[in-house]
Amino acid sequence: MGTFNRSMTDANRKTIEIHGYDEDEFMTLNLRDVDVPASQALIQERMRLVDEQGEASFEVAHYRKDRTSFPLEVFVKKVDWNGTPALLSIATEITERKRMEDALKESEEKYRIVAEGASDGIAIVQDGRLAYVNRALAAMAGYTIEEITGASFIRFVALESILDLMGIVKQA
């Protein structure tokens, strides 16, 4: 389990490049030199998982030589390296994916604020069920959001249509 205190055994050109070092410098580093503190705090647990399961996948953040950080998705597997147990790490730099995830979260939050404040009823249907219902639609239908969310869309529409045809108005 103490493998994270050893220097790198080998690294491909892209790994060295994204960390901002030349090959000789990079090969003298160990995991604690490149992991940001939050990632360092998880090293022992991740090494335990690899030790128990033989492999693990997780996200980390590493420092470049200039001490700026960047996110990586890492897959680690126990391997035999020329007759010696070693850890093979395959890391994918995921800065762009993280930017897109953050932009999506921001967009979803804006949409949620608009939907919640709308006076018109808004619903999102997934797999034939009401996955999201705003307060206005729930109130129009005479249900709470909790009662209506998850309901069959077709049954909901059919019930509302029948009640409307019969002139029955549900009280909110």
Side-chain angles (χ1 to χ4, degrees), residues 116-130:
E116 287 302 316
S119 58
D120 292 331
I122 298 174
I124 297 174
V125 179
Q126 288 180 314
D127 298 324
R129 300 213 165 269
L130 294 167

Side-chain angles (χ1 to χ4, degrees), residues 12-116:
N12 67 12
R13 179 184 51 78
K14 185 66 175 175
T15 297
I16 295 167
E17 192 178 285
I18 64 174
H19 283 85
Y21 291 91
D22 66 37
E23 185 175 354
D24 291 336
E25 289 175 311
F26 190 76
M27 297 312 294
T28 65
L29 302 176
N30 65 53
L31 192 54
R32 290 196 186 277
D33 295 325
V34 294
D35 260 351
V36 301
S39 293
Q40 278 185 24
L42 299 172
I43 291 174
Q44 287 292 98
E45 175 60 20
R46 290 173 175 157
M47 290 300 119
R48 186 190 62 73
L49 280 174
V50 172
D51 194 45
E52 289 175 3
Q53 299 174 7
E55 62 186 46
S57 294
F58 44 85
E59 289 184 11
V60 298
H62 275 190
Y63 285 124
R64 293 182 185 90
K65 183 178 181 178
D66 68 7
R67 302 312 277 173
T68 58
S69 65
F70 62 99
L72 294 164
E73 183 175 64
V74 179
F75 171 76
V76 180
K77 182 173 179 76
K78 284 182 177 181
V79 297
D80 179 71
W81 183 268
N82 298 324
T84 304
L87 296 176
L88 172 66
S89 295
I90 300 170
T92 304
E93 198 264 342
I94 57 172
T95 300
E96 188 58 31
R97 183 178 90 192
K98 288 295 195 180
R99 272 193 211 119
M100 289 189 299
E101 287 173 357
D102 290 345
L104 180 59
K105 284 179 188 171
E106 185 178 320
S107 176
E108 287 173 344
E109 179 61 18
K110 286 178 184 175
Y111 169 78
R112 187 192 63 71
I113 290 168
V114 169
E116 287 302 316

